[in-house]
Amino acid sequence: MTITIATAPGKAILLGEHAVVYGRPAIAVPLAEIEARAEFIPAAAGQGVLIQAEDLGRRYRLSGAAEDDGLAAAIRLTLATLEFRTEPDVTVRISSTVPMARGLGSGTAVSTAIIRGLAEHLGHPLPPAALSNLVYEIEKIHHGTPSGIDNTVIAFAQPVYFVRGQPLQRLAVGAPLTLVIGDSGVASPTRAAVGDLRRRWQADPERYEGYFDEVGVIVEQARRALEAGNVPALGQLMVENQEILKTLDLSSPELDRLIEAARRAGALGAKLSGAGRGGNMIALVRDGEAAAVVEALREAGAVNTLVTTVA
Ligand code: PMV
């Protein structure tokens, strides 16, 4: 058997995070510049599955891994789905350039690369929809109540308009988008931000449903702007979405500083991306103006920046 290599991109949510958990639409794009990678290296008979997590400096056997180990869970789920009752003899080397706990889909990209690669290695490549469904099962272990947007955009590796529980709707992007992503340097576990908002929603559902409705309307308008290639209108809608996220207490002083710096440097729109409270912000910029926004973000404290084009 030969070595199998599988990758999966990072992702950014353009609009609609959090409200998407409550059934409203959201828009997300894959980030090809950052990716998770899983290599499947055939091993001697009897070895079983050996997991080598390069970034975590860990090396362990599947048979000894804890139930809640995410990497092992992805492998076990794939084997069970493909009805492999005995472990294949393979070393699984996992690495990723997607920063962890920053709202860029690090865990999802790793699960996707593992499941895609293992299925292929065993001679049963999975179509994107089946892959996405399996990754979603792993997402539930990590996040509790994920909307499914991360596994969808990453498994399909395409811009998506996503509504929870509905089949993927592909987005035809009318004009290329240049995005600048800035990392606030603050780790923000998705589960905590989502759980906290859920408690507040439970205490006052009417109020929060109202905010989610507003986000839903913004995302609908954004979809039309995006498909029509109306980039300035899309930027303005990102600004409006950020206002609501701020009202929902999902921003942070660090994120606010970066968002303001991007806008002062000429960005058409800027907002937090993902769970919020930390992690990354995302700015939509005119073609040729990314460098100025990157510099402004660095000066305002971004620990990392990434420029990407969505075509
Ligand atoms: O995993 P993150 O940080 O990109 O956040 C996911 C987006 C949320 O809407 C906050 C949660 C979800 O499940 O959609």
Side-chain angles (χ1 to χ4, degrees), residues 179-184 254-263 265 267 270 281-283 285 290-307:
L179 302 171
V180 181
I181 296 168
D183 188 341
S184 68
E254 294 84 2
L255 283 168
D256 290 344
R257 200 154 50 232
L258 298 185
I259 289 164
E260 206 193 303
R263 297 207 50 210
M281 50 71 68
I282 184 166
V285 303
V293 173
V294 165
E295 200 186 316
L297 289 177
R298 291 271 178 191
E299 274 169 23
V303 297
N304 230 320
T305 55
L306 175 77
V307 181

Side-chain angles (χ1 to χ4, degrees), residues 51 60 62 65-81 111 114-115 118 134 137-139 141-142:
I51 301 170
Y60 53 101
L62 178 67
E67 276 303 310
D68 62 353
D69 180 296
L71 307 178
I75 293 170
R76 287 187 182 124
L77 178 64
T78 310
L79 292 176
T81 304
S111 302
I114 291 175
I115 296 173
L118 182 56
L134 288 184
E137 293 305 311
I138 305 298
E139 296 281 284
I141 303 174
H142 293 304

Side-chain angles (χ1 to χ4, degrees), residues 5-307:
I5 298 174
T7 61
K11 70 99 219 311
I13 296 181
L14 217 49
L15 301 115
E17 52 275 271
H18 286 288
V20 71
V21 174
Y22 300 83
R24 275 57 165 199
I27 294 173
V29 297
L31 301 173
E33 293 79 4
I34 48 178
E35 64 178 24
R37 179 183 170 100
E39 292 177 17
F40 297 81
I41 305 152
Q47 178 198 271
V49 178
L50 180 69
I51 301 170
Q52 227 172 291
E54 301 285 333
D55 309 316
L56 309 174
R58 287 186 62 207
R59 199 181 144 90
Y60 53 101
R61 294 199 180 278
L62 178 67
S63 54
E67 276 303 310
D68 62 353
D69 180 296
L71 307 178
I75 293 170
R76 287 187 182 124
L77 178 64
T78 310
L79 292 176
T81 304
L82 299 177
E83 297 183 355
F84 272 74
R85 285 178 228 295
T86 49
E87 280 188 27
D89 298 307
V90 66
T91 298
V92 187
R93 194 184 290 160
I94 300 149
S95 59
S96 174
T97 56
V98 186
M100 292 203 315
R102 298 290 208 270
L104 298 182
S106 57
T108 315
V110 166
S111 302
T112 307
I114 291 175
I115 296 173
R116 174 184 280 150
L118 182 56
E120 204 180 304
H121 190 71
L122 297 174
H124 298 275
L126 295 168
L131 174 63
S132 178
N133 287 340
L134 288 184
V135 176
Y136 184 62
E137 293 305 311
I138 305 298
E139 296 281 284
K140 286 196 263 183
I141 303 174
H142 293 304
H143 297 321
T145 57
S147 65
I149 191 169
D150 284 15
N151 50 283
T152 303
V153 65
I154 290 176
F156 282 85
Q158 290 183 5
V160 299
Y161 172 91
F162 177 85
V163 180
R164 187 172 190 165
Q166 291 184 14
L168 160 85
Q169 299 184 44
R170 291 193 171 88
L171 266 181
V173 180
L177 306 177
T178 305
L179 302 171
V180 181
I181 296 168
D183 188 341
S184 68
V186 181
S188 172
T190 302
R191 197 184 187 114
V194 170
D196 181 45
L197 182 59
R198 177 163 298 273
R199 278 185 289 280
R200 287 183 282 143
W201 169 77
Q202 277 163 344
D204 192 353
E206 212 173 309
R207 174 160 168 235
Y208 285 88
E209 287 293 322
Y211 291 131
F212 299 149
D213 281 340
E214 283 180 48
V215 173
V217 171
I218 290 172
V219 174
E220 276 300 331
Q221 292 171 341
R223 176 193 199 162
R224 284 196 288 276
L226 209 138
E227 292 187 330
N230 189 345
V231 183
L234 183 62
Q236 183 51 38
L237 290 162
M238 288 169 69
V239 172
E240 290 172 24
N241 193 167
Q242 173 62 18
E243 282 307 311
I244 299 173
L245 289 163
K246 230 179 131 159
T247 306
L248 292 173
D249 197 24
L250 291 163
S251 201
S252 71
E254 294 84 2
L255 283 168
D256 290 344
R257 200 154 50 232
L258 298 185
I259 289 164
E260 206 193 303
R263 297 207 50 210
R264 259 192 276 115
L268 296 164
K271 59 183 278 297
L272 68 84
S273 179
R277 296 264 169 88
N280 280 274
M281 50 71 68
I282 184 166
L284 177 64
V285 303
R286 286 185 195 83
D287 198 24
E289 291 188 359
V293 173
V294 165
E295 200 186 316
L297 289 177
R298 291 271 178 191
E299 274 169 23
V303 297
N304 230 320
T305 55
L306 175 77
V307 181

